[in-house]
Each structure stands twice: as C-alpha cells, then as structure tokens.
Amino acid sequence: MSQPFYITTAIAYPNGKPHIGHAYEAIATDAIARFQRLNGREVCFVTGTDEHGLKMDQTARAAGKATRDLADEMSLYFKQMCKTLDISYDHFCRTTAENHHTASQAIWKRLEASGDLYLDRYEGWYSVRDEAYYDESELTDGEEGQKLSPQGTPVEWTVEESWFFRLSKYEQPLLEYYAANPDFIRPDSRKNETVKFVEGGLKDLSVSRTSFDWGVKVPGSENHVMYVWLDALTTYISAIGFPNETEEWRKFWPASVHIIGKDIVRFHTVYWPAFLMSAGLPLPKMVFGHGFLLSRGEKMSKSLGNVVDPIELAQLFGVDALRYFLLREVSFGQDGSYSPEAIVTRVNADLANSFGNLAQRTLSLIFKNCEGRLPANGGHHDDDNALLELIGNAVSKQIPAHFEDLAMSQALEAWMQAVFACNAYVDVQAPWALKKTDPERMETVLATLFMCIAQLAIAALPIIPGSATKLLDQMGVPNEARNFADAGTHWYAQLAESGFQIAQPIGLFPRLELPAEEGVAA
RNA sequence: GGCGAAGUAGCUCAGCUGGUUAGAGCGGUGGAAUCAUAAUCCAUAGGUCGGGGGUUCAAGUCCCUCCUUCGCUACCA
C-alpha cells in the first residue's frame, strides 16, 4: 500500500501573465511530485489561481473588462504555462469555482463556531487611490496639512465594519507547534523569521471587507466578502473535496508540503495553521519557502524591462533545458540568478556534452557494432562492477535522498558525478578499440554502459521528463523498470532476449546557442 | 530603526551538528584519445574562506564588532 503524498504550489494571483517566478515554482513542485510518484507514493499535486481580491477588480476595470472575464483569461495563461512546462498537476483550482466558495464558507462557519470571529470596526488612514490602509507612522504631511500615504496619495481617517479573526489566541499554540515540528517551516531561515514574528505578538486579523464585492460572500453578512488570503488558502483543502468527506480528502489531508515563495511564508506558517487549528483540522506537514529568481543578479521588474516570459524561454531553449537549468543551478530555498549565458553554458555542459553525448556515443556504438541487438553481457570485470556499483548507489541512494530532502540541485550534482564516471569509463575501456581486439569484451562494456545510462535516465525523469522518456523509449527500457526501486534490477537480460533492437540513435539534447539579440525579455 | 540573508579560486557556487594538505562546475593552461552533438578523458590552476578581535588543543564552520550587498517589516509569486 503506497503512502499518499499531497503537494501544492502557491495558488497564483493572476492579475498579470505568469512570469519566470511562477514557472520556477511550478517546475520545482512538479519535479518533487514526479519524484514521489517514481518513488512509489500515491501523489496528489495541486496548483491553481487565486482570482479574488481588490487587485483583480482594479486590473479588470483598468482594462475595461468584467472581472470574471479577466479571471477566465488570466487563469488560462497559467494553465497553458503548466502545459508548456510539462507540469503534471492533478487538479488546477480556481478560487472562483463554486465548490471553492462553498468550501470557504464552510471553513468560515467553523471559525465562527469556534468563537474566533467577531464583528468590529477597522479604523485607520485610508487612501482611496491606493485602496489601502496606512499606519500613522508611514504618513507624510503634504500641502495645506493634508496627510499623504507613502505613495504620495491623500489619505483620510476611515472606519469600516469588518470581521476579525482571533489570531492572538493562537500565538502560543503556534509556537508550540513550531517547536514540536521542527520541519514544519523550511528552510530554517524562514522558520527563524516566523518564530520571531510570532513571539513578537499577534494581533487579531481583519478577515472581511465591505469596500468591494469581488470575493467569497461571508455567510450571514452578505455585504462582506472574505479576506482574500483566507479564501485563497482554503484552496488547499477545497481542491481535494473539503468540506465533503471525499476519498481524496481522507487520503491526502494533511498536505505533505506546500511549496511557496519566500514572500508569502507568513500567510502559510501563521495565518493558515491558525485558521486550521480554529477549524479543528490537521496542519500541513511542511511549508517550504523557495527563493526568488534574479535576472543577472537584479530583481526582475516591469520598469527595468527584464521580466522574462517562461513560455518564450521554453520555446527558445527547450522545456527540459529550462527545467534542468532552474533546478540544477539554483539551490532550492535560496535566491538564484538567471541569464541566457548561464542557461546555455549549463545546459550545454551538462545535458548536451556530458549526458547527451554519453548516450549518443554509447548507443551509436551499439547500433553500429552489434548487428541490431543489445550487446551480450559476457561476465563483468572489476571495472564494470565498480561502475555499476557507483551508478546503482547514486540512483538508488544518493539521488532519492536528496530529492526526499527537496534538494534538487544536490540530486543533480550527484547525478552529474555519475555521468562523469560513465564518460571516464568509456574512455578507459575504449570499446571502439576492443571492437578489433576483443569483440566480446566490447559487448560487455557496452552492455554495462547501457544499463548505467538507463538508470541515469530514470533518475532524471523528475527533472527532464520529456527527454528522459524519449531516451528510455529509444533504449526500450520497460515501464516496470522506470522507477527508483526497479531501475537497477535485472530487466536488461530480458530486454536483450526479447530481441529488442535499437534504431539509429537520435540526439536528445542539442547544443544551445546564445540568442543573437541581447536578452530574451519581452 | 527592527528582523533576516549573503560576502569562499577569474566566473557561478557547495561546504550538516567546529578537526587530516579548503571543494565542484565553467573558464584558462598542458597532455591523451577519436566511438560521439568540435563532444570526451587525464593533469593543473597556489583562494589571508569580507576586515578586526575572541573562545578552543583545533574555526569558512561558534561568539563579539566593523564594512559591503540584498530582502522583509502585517495583506503583490
């Protein structure tokens, strides 16, 4: 019986098209999900769009569209991005969906039943232009004594009726939970931040708005819509059936891990667990805050004109090249830097030159020298056994351990070390020379390489699913062997006996060239 | 201001709970090889691990301080 594994990305706010940050999160989450499937777990992978809130409303108005239409349109971009990038989600959730509204209202009622909601007034300096409240300390004095927001817009003292959530009540329970579950927040630096924040004291949270109506209606207070985060976070449970006791719900909640950006750690590690505690539901096992991608070390922004469209990147360099680059080059949890030069260099060195060429040279030798069958395994030498052991250890131990730890870059580093070992082995054994001196030995060497390359391709499936699958298909590796437990088993002899023949091998990782035009920004 | 992250070979970065001659990739240099996507393999490059102080038998690895860069500071992944 396989152990369920439930993983989510953050639910993206689609008031603009997806950018490389969304792509990065989706790719990283997808790699983990794919790994767990290959690791024998039953996986549920959820992503989606968080379509409520003021900004969507404003963006739509500015574009002269109905908010609902904008949401439909934008949400589609995110879905397309997932398709382009080979994101293997099980559910794509939209917060505007009816079942999601039902779920949000259900959790609201639970908070209310726990006595954690109360109606009060929200007062403060409000800027109509910014549609935001500011603290007194943030304001500056403008002309004629008019107070101004940090953005320089006029503010006025405003009183708004609002529902509040007794967040303060959960200060101690949260701290106790963090202490009892050291892996709840990762990486550690994010945990430290969160703990410090909570220790600093929690104020009750305003969880409804009356100033606009694009959202989930508050049960019993129809002029209120729910705070967008309360609604958005609920996606993680509405996606798998809540409030209904569906099979998925019973199987997958609590989530194994929420993968999110470092900027929204607080919502996921303070508010979300507090809501769940209040609702009497179990808490997710882990929240992982990944870093940001920088363009040549600089933050990406529209004004700098260095915003990158992930779809364009994928078209330019290839989906798997992009996936590989992001997961290999960036240490998961830390910020990383992107540039066309970096991706070309990394992908050419690792995928084209090292791994791709290894597969190509090996399969070519087999194709040309073995009369269309797989080479015979004529008894291994020490060198062969050493290589098989090294690859087996990498594929069955090191790489899965790193994946399990969400350390994709380290998994790939171990993977590359194994690739290097294979290339070194090829050069030492020189099968092209054995062809004349000792054909039997040549076949054994090629058979050894075949088994190693297949294992390496299997280990790479979570990262570069498309091309790894193509390679395994070329090699005829049976589906039953394409997972971490069975990659190193004895499928080879059976495959060879089956009479399987490889065709003229086709290179799967073409060398990339730097685009002629500087940068690829839109 | 507060909190946090980072500063390690030319470049991009690994270095967990302190312990033999500080690591990898890329680049550079010198060889080897020619099966393969002009790809591969071997060797090599002498970096005061931001500065200073301290703890310790022993510190990139702990403490203090200073400098630099960056993020967050209650509702934009």
Side-chain angles (χ1 to χ4, degrees):
Chain A
M1 217 168 68
S2 76
Q3 211 184 337
F5 184 86
Y6 179 27
I7 185 169
T8 70
T9 66
I11 307 303
Y13 202 74
N15 65 334
K17 288 189 186 181
H19 58 237
I20 189 78
H22 296 109
Y24 175 57
E25 184 171 302
I27 288 169
T29 307
D30 182 63
I32 299 163
R34 285 176 185 273
F35 163 72
Q36 292 296 358
R37 288 191 200 105
L38 294 176
N39 198 29
R41 304 280 293 267
E42 183 173 2
V43 172
C44 181
F45 171 11
V46 165
T47 186
T49 43
D50 164 22
E51 304 170 19
H52 293 310
L54 192 55
K55 277 210 171 149
M56 281 299 285
D57 219 10
Q58 288 176 326
T59 305
R61 210 168 304 157
K65 294 176 181 169
T67 313
R68 176 78 212 198
D69 291 344
L70 176 77
D72 287 348
E73 180 192 337
M74 288 315 217
S75 182
L76 198 58
Y77 284 125
F78 281 81
K79 221 167 182 172
Q80 284 170 344
M81 176 189 80
C82 286
K83 188 169 184 197
T84 302
L85 299 177
D86 259 349
I87 307 303
S88 62
Y89 63 77
D90 295 290
H91 299 298
F92 186 100
C93 293
R94 301 184 52 186
T95 56
T96 45
E98 194 182 329
N99 72 304
H100 179 74
H101 280 234
T102 307
S104 300
Q105 290 170 338
I107 197 171
W108 179 280
K109 285 177 190 160
R110 286 194 182 217
L111 305 189
E112 195 170 32
S114 295
D116 288 334
L117 295 178
Y118 60 92
L119 194 58
D120 202 344
R121 296 156 157 255
Y122 194 89
E123 310 184 29
W125 293 101
Y126 183 75
S127 161
V128 178
R129 193 99 55 86
D130 301 347
E131 302 235 30
Y133 283 93
Y134 294 100
D135 191 79
E136 180 97 45
S137 62
E138 296 179 278
L139 304 178
T140 53
D141 287 317
E143 293 169 23
E144 297 169 22
Q146 170 69 60
K147 289 197 179 292
L148 299 177
S149 78
Q151 272 71 41
T153 58
V155 295
E156 54 191 71
W157 188 258
T158 308
V159 179
E160 183 184 349
E161 184 183 59
S162 172
W163 283 95
F164 280 79
F165 173 71
R166 290 188 204 282
L167 184 62
S168 56
K169 179 175 152 188
Y170 293 94
E171 202 173 301
Q172 281 314 311
L174 283 169
L175 289 171
E176 284 163 21
Y177 188 78
Y178 303 149
N181 300 276
D183 276 342
F184 176 57
I185 308 171
R186 286 190 60 203
D188 279 348
S189 55
R190 303 292 157 219
K191 176 167 78 177
N192 296 338
E193 283 179 20
T194 304
V195 171
K196 288 266 165 54
F197 174 75
V198 175
E199 283 175 347
L202 295 176
K203 284 198 264 183
D204 288 351
L205 190 68
S206 166
V207 288
S208 78
R209 294 294 127 89
T210 55
S211 52
F212 62 93
D213 65 358
W214 179 244
V216 179
K217 296 244 183 299
V218 170
S221 299
E222 300 293 308
N223 58 327
H224 289 248
V225 293
M226 288 169 51
Y227 172 45
V228 67
W229 269 107
L230 174 51
D231 149 25
L233 290 162
T234 300
T235 307
Y236 300 136
I237 55 178
S238 71
I240 52 173
F242 179 86
N244 303 313
E245 288 281 329
T246 61
E247 190 190 333
E248 267 197 324
W249 167 255
R250 280 196 300 270
K251 190 183 288 174
F252 289 115
W253 193 258
S256 307
V257 59
H258 295 310
I259 304 294
I260 59 166
K262 65 179 183 180
D263 56 332
I264 53 172
V265 166
R266 181 168 305 161
F267 303 104
H268 286 78
T269 59
V270 180
Y271 301 166
W272 180 226
F275 294 152
L276 289 168
M277 284 176 179
S278 175
L281 295 171
L283 273 49
K285 290 173 189 148
M286 184 187 292
V287 173
F288 191 102
H290 67 249
F292 287 162
L293 286 179
L294 309 174
S295 175
R296 299 179 199 281
E298 289 184 329
K299 192 170 179 177
M300 288 183 243
S301 72
K302 284 175 188 163
S303 56
L304 281 171
N306 59 358
V307 177
V308 180
D309 179 352
I311 310 265
E312 265 181 51
L313 271 185
Q315 285 165 348
L316 195 56
F317 297 121
V319 176
D320 282 348
L322 178 62
R323 292 174 59 110
Y324 181 84
F325 171 81
L326 291 175
L327 296 176
R328 172 66 187 94
E329 192 89 351
V330 182
S331 179
F332 199 53
Q334 296 205 294
D335 288 354
S337 197
Y338 155 84
S339 72
E341 293 85 349
I343 187 170
V344 168
T345 302
R346 172 63 76 180
V347 169
N348 281 348
D350 292 7
L351 291 184
N353 297 351
S354 294
F355 183 65
N357 186 230
L358 168 68
Q360 187 69 7
R361 67 199 302 208
T362 303
L363 296 184
S364 290
L365 283 165
I366 293 173
F367 177 72
K368 288 179 186 168
N369 300 321
C370 298
E371 297 126 21
R373 56 179 170 73
L374 293 191
N377 215 331
H380 291 306
H381 288 193
D382 286 350
D383 286 354
D384 312 336
N385 289 325
L387 184 71
L388 287 166
E389 192 180 325
L390 189 151
I391 302 305
N393 185 48
V395 172
S396 69
K397 301 230 171 66
Q398 295 175 2
I399 293 172
H402 284 131
F403 270 122
E404 198 71 65
D405 194 35
L406 309 186
M408 281 74 81
S409 63
Q410 289 182 59
L412 287 174
E413 194 175 333
W415 184 75
M416 275 310 296
Q417 289 303 319
V419 172
F420 289 150
C422 289
N423 271 322
Y425 172 86
V426 180
D427 280 33
V428 170
Q429 302 301 326
W432 52 88
L434 291 170
K435 178 182 172 183
K436 290 164 192 160
T437 59
D438 188 349
E440 277 183 35
R441 176 67 191 145
M442 175 197 76
E443 294 210 19
T444 301
V445 167
L446 293 177
T448 302
L449 282 166
F450 191 98
M451 290 182 267
C452 290
I453 291 166
Q455 290 189 63
L456 291 172
I458 290 165
L461 277 168
I463 308 291
I464 46 173
S467 30
T469 297
K470 279 186 195 156
L471 178 56
L472 290 166
D473 288 348
Q474 281 191 39
M475 296 174 75
V477 176
N479 278 320
E480 308 84 75
R482 298 186 190 185
N483 61 71
F484 280 86
D486 299 313
T489 56
H490 300 91
W491 49 265
Y492 183 81
Q494 210 174 358
L495 179 63
E497 281 167 24
S498 76
F500 174 80
Q501 301 191 4
I502 61 166
Q504 171 97 45
I506 301 161
L508 293 165
F509 304 97
R511 287 178 63 78
L512 301 179
E513 284 180 29
L514 207 53
E517 192 61 24
E518 166 69 9
V520 292

